[in-house]
Amino acid sequence: MSHHEFSLGDAIDRFLKERGLKDKADIHRVINEWPKLMGRAISENTEQIWFREGKFYVRMKSPVWKNELSMAKSKIREVVNREIGRDLVEEVKII
């Protein structure tokens, strides 16, 4: 094996690292675009958004908004994945 070749393990690690950076960049873009994607009323009532291990978390400022958005979880997932251009988000959690 020459020095220019990677082992399969190295190749997988590199792929995941690059993918991780791309995922972070894509999620960051969604968070920045949240007001445009969801509209002013929702974005003004959103307290925090984050992403971890396939789950997209949205913390709302009030129980009323939490309930409203909970009913639209699959729609939110669709919108976020469409914005990213692939199925990165497996599940949306409204908290």
Side-chain angles (χ1 to χ4, degrees):
M1 195 160 120
S2 78
H3 294 292
H4 297 294
E5 290 174 26
F6 287 100
S7 73
L8 186 56
D10 288 341
I12 290 169
D13 285 348
R14 203 159 129 203
F15 170 78
L16 290 174
K17 194 171 283 164
E18 287 168 3
R19 186 66 186 260
L21 292 173
K22 182 166 171 35
D23 290 353
K24 276 198 180 94
D26 286 340
I27 291 296
H28 192 71
R29 191 178 78 238
V30 165
I31 291 169
N32 285 335
E33 298 285 313
W34 190 248
K36 195 185 91 185
L37 294 172
M38 292 294 141
R40 223 177 87 206
I42 291 173
S43 72
E44 283 176 357
N45 284 283
T46 302
E47 195 172 302
Q48 196 181 4
I49 310 167
W50 70 99
F51 177 79
R52 189 165 47 238
E53 293 168 1
K55 292 179 177 61
F56 188 78
Y57 295 88
V58 183
R59 176 175 284 135
M60 299 308 290
K61 290 179 180 173
S62 77
V64 174
W65 279 99
K66 182 185 163 192
N67 290 343
E68 285 296 312
L69 249 64
S70 289
M71 292 186 280
K73 284 193 291 198
S74 62
K75 183 79 182 142
I76 293 168
R77 189 177 142 252
E78 257 174 56
V79 168
V80 170
N81 282 334
R82 193 178 320 122
E83 177 69 17
I84 292 169
R86 64 187 196 287
D87 288 341
L88 180 61
V89 174
E90 295 161 24
E91 192 181 348
V92 172
K93 298 255 190 204
I94 310 294
I95 55 176

CSV table of all heavy atoms in Angstrom, one decimal, residues 28-56:
chain,number,residue,atom,x,y,z
A,28,HIS,N,-27.2,25.4,9.8
A,28,HIS,CA,-27.0,26.8,10.1
A,28,HIS,C,-27.8,27.7,9.1
A,28,HIS,O,-28.4,28.7,9.5
A,28,HIS,CB,-25.5,27.1,10.0
A,28,HIS,CG,-25.1,28.4,10.6
A,28,HIS,ND1,-25.2,28.7,11.9
A,28,HIS,CD2,-24.8,29.6,10.0
A,28,HIS,CE1,-24.8,30.0,12.1
A,28,HIS,NE2,-24.6,30.5,11.0
A,29,ARG,N,-27.8,27.3,7.8
A,29,ARG,CA,-28.5,28.1,6.8
A,29,ARG,C,-30.0,28.0,7.1
A,29,ARG,O,-30.7,29.0,7.0
A,29,ARG,CB,-28.2,27.5,5.4
A,29,ARG,CG,-28.8,28.4,4.3
A,29,ARG,CD,-28.4,27.9,2.9
A,29,ARG,NE,-29.3,26.8,2.6
A,29,ARG,CZ,-29.0,25.6,2.2
A,29,ARG,NH1,-27.7,25.2,2.2
A,29,ARG,NH2,-29.9,24.7,1.9
A,30,VAL,N,-30.5,26.8,7.5
A,30,VAL,CA,-32.0,26.7,7.8
A,30,VAL,C,-32.3,27.6,9.0
A,30,VAL,O,-33.4,28.3,9.0
A,30,VAL,CB,-32.3,25.2,8.1
A,30,VAL,CG1,-33.7,25.1,8.8
A,30,VAL,CG2,-32.3,24.4,6.8
A,31,ILE,N,-31.5,27.6,10.0
A,31,ILE,CA,-31.7,28.4,11.2
A,31,ILE,C,-31.7,29.9,10.8
A,31,ILE,O,-32.6,30.7,11.2
A,31,ILE,CB,-30.7,28.1,12.3
A,31,ILE,CG1,-31.0,26.7,12.9
A,31,ILE,CG2,-30.7,29.2,13.4
A,31,ILE,CD1,-29.9,26.2,13.8
A,32,ASN,N,-30.8,30.3,10.0
A,32,ASN,CA,-30.8,31.7,9.5
A,32,ASN,C,-32.0,32.1,8.6
A,32,ASN,O,-32.4,33.2,8.6
A,32,ASN,CB,-29.5,32.0,8.7
A,32,ASN,CG,-28.3,32.1,9.6
A,32,ASN,OD1,-28.4,32.5,10.8
A,32,ASN,ND2,-27.1,31.8,9.0
A,33,GLU,N,-32.5,31.1,7.9
A,33,GLU,CA,-33.6,31.3,7.0
A,33,GLU,C,-34.9,31.0,7.7
A,33,GLU,O,-36.0,31.1,7.0
A,33,GLU,CB,-33.5,30.3,5.8
A,33,GLU,CG,-32.3,30.6,4.9
A,33,GLU,CD,-32.4,31.8,4.1
A,33,GLU,OE1,-33.4,32.0,3.4
A,33,GLU,OE2,-31.4,32.6,4.0
A,34,TRP,N,-34.9,30.6,8.9
A,34,TRP,CA,-36.1,30.3,9.7
A,34,TRP,C,-37.3,31.3,9.5
A,34,TRP,O,-38.4,30.9,9.2
A,34,TRP,CB,-35.8,30.1,11.1
A,34,TRP,CG,-36.9,29.5,12.0
A,34,TRP,CD1,-37.6,30.1,13.0
A,34,TRP,CD2,-37.4,28.2,11.9
A,34,TRP,NE1,-38.5,29.3,13.5
A,34,TRP,CE2,-38.4,28.1,12.9
A,34,TRP,CE3,-37.2,27.1,11.1
A,34,TRP,CZ2,-39.2,26.9,13.1
A,34,TRP,CZ3,-37.9,25.9,11.3
A,34,TRP,CH2,-38.9,25.8,12.3
A,35,PRO,N,-37.0,32.6,9.7
A,35,PRO,CA,-38.1,33.6,9.5
A,35,PRO,C,-38.7,33.5,8.0
A,35,PRO,O,-39.9,33.6,7.9
A,35,PRO,CB,-37.4,34.9,9.7
A,35,PRO,CG,-36.2,34.6,10.6
A,35,PRO,CD,-35.8,33.3,10.1
A,36,LYS,N,-37.8,33.3,7.1
A,36,LYS,CA,-38.3,33.3,5.7
A,36,LYS,C,-39.1,32.0,5.4
A,36,LYS,O,-40.1,31.9,4.7
A,36,LYS,CB,-37.1,33.4,4.7
A,36,LYS,CG,-37.5,33.7,3.3
A,36,LYS,CD,-36.3,33.7,2.4
A,36,LYS,CE,-36.1,32.2,1.8
A,36,LYS,NZ,-34.9,32.1,1.0
A,37,LEU,N,-38.6,30.9,6.0
A,37,LEU,CA,-39.2,29.6,5.8
A,37,LEU,C,-40.5,29.4,6.5
A,37,LEU,O,-41.5,28.8,6.0
A,37,LEU,CB,-38.3,28.4,6.3
A,37,LEU,CG,-36.9,28.2,5.5
A,37,LEU,CD1,-36.1,27.2,6.2
A,37,LEU,CD2,-37.2,27.8,4.1
A,38,MET,N,-40.6,30.0,7.7
A,38,MET,CA,-41.8,29.7,8.6
A,38,MET,C,-42.7,30.9,8.7
A,38,MET,O,-43.8,30.8,9.3
A,38,MET,CB,-41.3,29.3,10.0
A,38,MET,CG,-40.7,27.9,10.0
A,38,MET,SD,-41.9,26.7,9.6
A,38,MET,CE,-40.9,25.6,8.6
A,39,GLY,N,-42.2,32.1,8.3
A,39,GLY,CA,-43.0,33.3,8.5
A,39,GLY,C,-42.7,34.0,9.8
A,39,GLY,O,-42.1,33.4,10.7
A,40,ARG,N,-43.1,35.3,9.8
A,40,ARG,CA,-42.7,36.1,11.0
A,40,ARG,C,-43.4,35.7,12.3
A,40,ARG,O,-42.7,35.6,13.3
A,40,ARG,CB,-43.1,37.6,10.7
A,40,ARG,CG,-42.0,38.5,11.1
A,40,ARG,CD,-42.4,40.0,10.8
A,40,ARG,NE,-43.2,40.5,11.9
A,40,ARG,CZ,-44.0,41.5,11.7
A,40,ARG,NH1,-44.2,42.1,10.5
A,40,ARG,NH2,-44.7,42.0,12.7
A,41,ALA,N,-44.6,35.3,12.2
A,41,ALA,CA,-45.3,35.0,13.5
A,41,ALA,C,-44.6,33.8,14.2
A,41,ALA,O,-44.4,33.8,15.4
A,41,ALA,CB,-46.8,34.6,13.2
A,42,ILE,N,-44.3,32.8,13.4
A,42,ILE,CA,-43.7,31.6,14.0
A,42,ILE,C,-42.3,31.9,14.4
A,42,ILE,O,-41.9,31.6,15.5
A,42,ILE,CB,-43.7,30.4,13.0
A,42,ILE,CG1,-45.1,29.9,12.8
A,42,ILE,CG2,-42.7,29.3,13.5
A,42,ILE,CD1,-45.2,28.8,11.7
A,43,SER,N,-41.5,32.6,13.6
A,43,SER,CA,-40.1,32.9,13.9
A,43,SER,C,-40.0,33.8,15.2
A,43,SER,O,-39.1,33.7,16.0
A,43,SER,CB,-39.3,33.5,12.8
A,43,SER,OG,-39.7,34.8,12.5
A,44,GLU,N,-41.0,34.7,15.3
A,44,GLU,CA,-41.0,35.6,16.5
A,44,GLU,C,-41.3,34.9,17.8
A,44,GLU,O,-41.0,35.3,18.9
A,44,GLU,CB,-41.9,36.8,16.3
A,44,GLU,CG,-41.4,37.9,15.4
A,44,GLU,CD,-42.4,39.0,15.1
A,44,GLU,OE1,-43.5,38.9,15.6
A,44,GLU,OE2,-42.0,39.9,14.4
A,45,ASN,N,-42.0,33.7,17.6
A,45,ASN,CA,-42.4,33.0,18.8
A,45,ASN,C,-41.5,31.7,19.0
A,45,ASN,O,-41.7,30.9,19.8
A,45,ASN,CB,-43.8,32.5,18.7
A,45,ASN,CG,-44.7,33.7,19.0
A,45,ASN,OD1,-44.9,34.1,20.2
A,45,ASN,ND2,-45.3,34.3,18.0
A,46,THR,N,-40.4,31.7,18.2
A,46,THR,CA,-39.4,30.6,18.3
A,46,THR,C,-38.3,31.1,19.3
A,46,THR,O,-37.8,32.1,19.1
A,46,THR,CB,-38.8,30.2,17.0
A,46,THR,OG1,-39.8,29.9,16.1
A,46,THR,CG2,-37.8,29.1,17.1
A,47,GLU,N,-38.1,30.2,20.3
A,47,GLU,CA,-37.1,30.6,21.3
A,47,GLU,C,-35.7,30.1,20.9
A,47,GLU,O,-34.7,30.8,21.0
A,47,GLU,CB,-37.4,30.0,22.6
A,47,GLU,CG,-36.7,30.6,23.8
A,47,GLU,CD,-37.2,30.2,25.1
A,47,GLU,OE1,-38.4,30.4,25.4
A,47,GLU,OE2,-36.5,29.6,25.9
A,48,GLN,N,-35.6,28.9,20.4
A,48,GLN,CA,-34.3,28.2,20.1
A,48,GLN,C,-34.5,27.1,19.0
A,48,GLN,O,-35.6,26.5,19.0
A,48,GLN,CB,-33.8,27.7,21.4
A,48,GLN,CG,-32.3,27.3,21.3
A,48,GLN,CD,-31.8,26.8,22.6
A,48,GLN,OE1,-32.6,26.5,23.5
A,48,GLN,NE2,-30.5,26.5,22.7
A,49,ILE,N,-33.5,26.9,18.2
A,49,ILE,CA,-33.6,25.9,17.2
A,49,ILE,C,-32.2,25.2,17.2
A,49,ILE,O,-31.2,25.9,17.2
A,49,ILE,CB,-33.8,26.4,15.8
A,49,ILE,CG1,-35.0,27.4,15.7
A,49,ILE,CG2,-34.0,25.3,14.8
A,49,ILE,CD1,-35.0,28.1,14.4
A,50,TRP,N,-32.2,23.9,17.2
A,50,TRP,CA,-30.9,23.2,17.1
A,50,TRP,C,-31.2,21.8,16.4
A,50,TRP,O,-32.3,21.4,16.3
A,50,TRP,CB,-30.2,23.1,18.4
A,50,TRP,CG,-30.8,22.2,19.4
A,50,TRP,CD1,-30.4,20.9,19.7
A,50,TRP,CD2,-31.8,22.5,20.4
A,50,TRP,NE1,-31.1,20.4,20.8
A,50,TRP,CE2,-32.0,21.4,21.2
A,50,TRP,CE3,-32.6,23.6,20.6
A,50,TRP,CZ2,-33.0,21.3,22.2
A,50,TRP,CZ3,-33.6,23.6,21.6
A,50,TRP,CH2,-33.8,22.4,22.4
A,51,PHE,N,-30.1,21.2,16.1
A,51,PHE,CA,-30.1,19.9,15.4
A,51,PHE,C,-29.2,18.9,16.0
A,51,PHE,O,-28.0,19.3,16.3
A,51,PHE,CB,-29.8,20.1,13.9
A,51,PHE,CG,-29.7,18.9,13.1
A,51,PHE,CD1,-30.9,18.3,12.6
A,51,PHE,CD2,-28.5,18.3,12.8
A,51,PHE,CE1,-30.9,17.1,11.9
A,51,PHE,CE2,-28.5,17.1,12.0
A,51,PHE,CZ,-29.7,16.5,11.5
A,52,ARG,N,-29.6,17.7,16.3
A,52,ARG,CA,-28.7,16.7,16.8
A,52,ARG,C,-29.2,15.3,16.4
A,52,ARG,O,-30.3,14.9,16.6
A,52,ARG,CB,-28.7,16.8,18.4
A,52,ARG,CG,-27.6,15.9,19.0
A,52,ARG,CD,-27.2,16.3,20.4
A,52,ARG,NE,-28.4,16.4,21.3
A,52,ARG,CZ,-28.7,17.5,22.0
A,52,ARG,NH1,-27.9,18.6,21.9
A,52,ARG,NH2,-29.7,17.6,22.7
A,53,GLU,N,-28.3,14.6,15.8
A,53,GLU,CA,-28.5,13.2,15.4
A,53,GLU,C,-29.8,12.9,14.7
A,53,GLU,O,-30.6,12.1,15.1
A,53,GLU,CB,-28.4,12.3,16.7
A,53,GLU,CG,-27.0,12.3,17.3
A,53,GLU,CD,-26.9,11.6,18.7
A,53,GLU,OE1,-28.0,11.2,19.2
A,53,GLU,OE2,-25.8,11.6,19.2
A,54,GLY,N,-30.0,13.7,13.6
A,54,GLY,CA,-31.2,13.5,12.8
A,54,GLY,C,-32.5,14.1,13.3
A,54,GLY,O,-33.5,14.1,12.6
A,55,LYS,N,-32.4,14.7,14.5
A,55,LYS,CA,-33.6,15.4,15.0
A,55,LYS,C,-33.4,16.9,15.0
A,55,LYS,O,-32.4,17.4,15.4
A,55,LYS,CB,-33.8,14.9,16.5
A,55,LYS,CG,-34.3,13.5,16.5
A,55,LYS,CD,-34.5,13.0,17.9
A,55,LYS,CE,-35.0,11.6,18.0
A,55,LYS,NZ,-34.1,10.6,17.4
A,56,PHE,N,-34.4,17.6,14.6
A,56,PHE,CA,-34.5,19.0,14.5
A,56,PHE,C,-35.4,19.5,15.6
A,56,PHE,O,-36.6,19.2,15.6
A,56,PHE,CB,-35.0,19.4,13.1
A,56,PHE,CG,-34.9,20.9,12.8
A,56,PHE,CD1,-33.7,21.4,12.4
A,56,PHE,CD2,-36.0,21.7,12.9
A,56,PHE,CE1,-33.6,22.8,12.1
A,56,PHE,CE2,-36.0,23.1,12.5
A,56,PHE,CZ,-34.7,23.6,12.1
